[in-house]
Amino acid sequence: MKQRDVVLSVRGLVRWFGPVRAVAGVDLDVARGEVVALLGPNGAGKTTTLTCVAGLLAPSGGLIRIAGDERRGARERRVAYVPEIPTVYDDLTPAEHLRFVAAGRRLADAEAAVASALERTGLSEVRDRAAGTLSKGNRQRLCLAGALVTRADVVLLDEPTTGLDPAAQHALVAVVRGLADGGAGVVISTHALATAFDAADRVVIIVAGRIVVNEPVTRFDDLDALRTAYLRAAS
């Protein structure tokens, strides 16, 4: 990977919670236009890593650069973070929610950005319904649409497939690839190995706060090969 292509660079990331070391020296590069699947068992350090990158949690040590910038404020503006539990304003419609997101980024072409995000996530038909009436799958899509609107350099998705049916998971893959095709570096934390295999360019497995596997997805012949590698690494 050429250095000029790297949009996220993490070096020696460490995070302690009291006596517990949740992340133990993570090194990770993500290129612009690349999707990285972050895999690992519960408690492995996936969410802690993502929230540190997002600027929501201060690292205990290490460096994080977004598009070459270490400053925390700049990082927060250049990163879109979608948590496992979709967070939307129930009384707002999807269109209103996305306008609110666009206003926070001071987009000159906010309406065009909102319309494009609704279309790309399949939400155009429900754009004027209260978000609180949407299914969990559509609420998750709305959070992804927010990531599209921000036009962030780095998009972090924490367990976005939780509670989604197979059709919704398949649609999610298309949205994730669309984010990367638009020039973002995407990190998706997931337990859904099929989603990781279909969406990702590279697979990173983290166990006990350390990266133990970092391979292109083409390294695995099929989903069974990825599953075997995951179970071996996590055991």
Side-chain angles (χ1 to χ4, degrees):
M1 182 188 306
K2 296 180 181 179
Q3 186 63 35
R4 63 182 175 82
D5 296 328
V6 174
V7 71
L8 168 63
S9 180
V10 179
R11 290 292 177 270
L13 180 65
V14 176
R15 174 65 196 195
W16 290 86
F17 292 98
V20 177
R21 187 170 60 177
V23 179
V26 163
D27 293 332
L28 178 65
D29 286 335
V30 180
R32 194 175 293 280
E34 181 182 33
V35 178
V36 173
L38 186 61
L39 310 178
N42 292 331
K46 301 186 302 297
T47 294
T48 300
T49 297
L50 294 187
T51 50
C52 284
V53 172
L56 301 174
L57 188 64
S60 302
L63 294 175
I64 300 171
R65 291 186 176 92
I66 306 295
D69 200 327
E70 291 180 37
R71 291 176 300 165
R72 183 171 180 176
R75 183 190 319 160
E76 290 165 347
R77 291 192 299 274
R78 292 177 173 179
V79 176
Y81 173 62
V82 179
E84 178 177 359
I85 299 174
T87 303
V88 299
Y89 293 103
D90 287 347
D91 293 337
L92 295 184
T93 68
E96 290 168 339
H97 175 84
L98 296 180
R99 289 189 190 108
F100 177 77
V101 173
R105 295 296 173 117
R106 298 180 181 178
L107 298 182
D109 56 344
E111 281 303 314
V114 167
S116 174
L118 288 168
E119 181 178 358
R120 291 171 64 183
T121 53
L123 292 175
S124 295
E125 292 185 2
V126 297
R127 59 175 293 147
D128 296 320
R129 285 177 49 184
T133 68
L134 300 179
S135 66
K136 179 172 183 179
N138 277 339
R139 287 165 68 90
Q140 190 68 274
R141 290 187 191 194
L142 180 54
C143 288
L144 291 171
L148 285 166
V149 166
T150 64
R151 297 171 180 164
D153 293 301
V154 174
V155 178
L156 310 171
L157 308 176
D158 194 2
E159 300 290 354
T161 59
T162 300
L164 300 186
D165 60 37
Q169 290 186 32
H170 179 74
L172 173 77
V173 170
V175 175
V176 170
R177 291 307 322 178
L179 285 163
D181 291 344
V186 182
V187 183
I188 175 171
S189 167
T190 181
H191 288 294
L193 297 185
T195 298
F197 189 78
D198 291 341
D201 301 295
R202 190 153 45 93
V203 170
V204 171
I205 301 176
I206 184 170
V207 178
R210 297 183 182 276
I211 291 177
V212 296
V213 173
N214 188 342
E215 298 281 357
V217 74
T218 52
R219 164 71 174 75
F220 307 99
D221 294 332
D222 52 29
L223 181 57
D224 285 339
L226 174 58
R227 184 177 292 109
T228 298
Y230 173 79
L231 292 174
R232 184 182 298 119
S235 62

